[in-house]
Amino acid sequence: LTYSEKKGKWECDVGKVIAGTNVASNVLIAAKIDRLGNDVQDILKFASSLGFVFHLEHLRVVVVSEHEHLTGKKRLPGMKAPMPQKVLDAQYREVLIKLLDKAQKYGIISDGRRQGTFSFSHDKVFEAVYASLPTGLERKQLHVRIGTLLLEAFPKDEFVTFLAVDHLNQGAESVISLPERLKLAKLNLSVAKLSIKEYS
């Protein structure tokens, strides 16, 4: 806990606090997240579904496509009312940045190493948010949908292909049809070949 003369207020590095305690960590995390409001909390849920580190554009694609399914709300987080798809594509990125900025101010996430990426401030913070997602089969199906969305939105991005296949593999048990399982097997083979090519 330190006092910032520039900001004129006390500041707490939640990551350091959590790292130094086990007993109170869940309480501290819950208190931090509860203060963020429903819209930011919803965004963090989507972010956690992507992983400890996530990209802004990947998050935008997933939120726009999955928000109603996951939250039960027609209105996107940060928006006052439902909007046409064309408007969302043009404007929602800025809305998303504002919501993420609030989470950053509360020490829940921070800028990632790569441009356009963010990461959760601590693994316990990530775990707490990820735990709020649906569990069991529903979570596996969510990962399959995320993997599919990423492949469709970024078909020529090799990094995204790796990421998407990882999501598909996390939900592999929910993939029942033979054609879809064969498709997943081919994707894994393709990723394996890319890995060999990259490191050879």
Side-chain angles (χ1 to χ4, degrees):
L1 185 68
T2 58
Y3 183 78
S4 171
E5 293 185 1
K6 184 177 180 180
K7 296 181 180 179
K9 65 178 183 179
W10 289 93
E11 295 182 323
C12 176
D13 188 327
V14 68
K16 290 182 179 179
V17 173
I18 292 169
T21 179
N22 289 321
V23 178
S25 63
N26 290 339
V27 176
L28 286 169
I29 295 167
K32 279 277 186 180
I33 295 173
D34 284 345
R35 292 166 62 187
L36 291 171
N38 291 334
D39 284 348
V40 181
Q41 289 177 32
D42 286 342
I43 290 300
L44 290 173
K45 288 179 183 179
F46 285 109
S48 73
S49 73
L50 286 167
F52 185 85
V53 178
F54 57 94
H55 195 287
L56 175 64
E57 287 304 309
H58 303 168
L59 180 61
R60 181 185 62 79
V61 168
V62 172
V63 172
V64 170
S65 298
E66 282 289 309
H67 73 282
E68 188 172 353
H69 190 280
L70 188 61
T71 67
K73 305 170 186 174
K74 292 187 178 296
R75 176 187 64 82
L76 277 166
M79 304 293 282
K80 294 181 179 179
M83 300 186 75
Q85 187 66 41
K86 289 183 179 180
V87 177
L88 288 176
D89 289 339
Q91 297 182 0
Y92 195 62
R93 187 175 187 275
E94 296 304 315
V95 174
L96 201 53
I97 289 173
K98 290 180 180 179
L99 294 173
L100 292 172
D101 183 59
K102 186 174 182 180
Q104 282 187 290
K105 288 178 179 177
Y106 275 77
I108 301 300
I109 61 172
S110 59
D111 289 327
R113 293 182 179 180
R114 295 177 60 191
Q115 185 176 3
T117 65
F118 299 85
S119 66
F120 284 87
S121 59
H122 193 275
D123 57 354
K124 288 187 179 296
V125 175
F126 167 72
E127 290 166 6
V129 179
Y130 187 71
S132 67
L133 291 172
T135 58
L137 180 62
E138 194 173 350
R139 181 178 292 184
K140 294 180 187 299
Q141 291 172 336
L142 172 63
H143 280 294
V144 169
R145 293 196 302 274
I146 289 173
T148 303
L149 282 169
L150 292 176
L151 285 174
E152 292 175 351
F154 309 96
K156 297 181 180 180
D157 189 320
E158 289 187 357
F159 174 78
V160 175
T161 300
F162 279 94
L163 183 64
V165 171
D166 181 58
H167 280 287
L168 292 170
N169 286 336
Q170 288 184 61
E173 291 181 18
S174 69
V175 180
I176 300 174
S177 72
L178 182 58
E180 289 300 314
R181 294 190 70 84
L182 288 173
K183 183 179 178 180
L184 178 56
K186 289 179 180 178
L187 282 169
N188 274 283
L189 179 60
S190 176
V191 165
K193 289 180 178 179
L194 284 174
S195 296
I196 293 171
K197 180 181 178 181
E198 183 175 345
Y199 292 102
S200 61

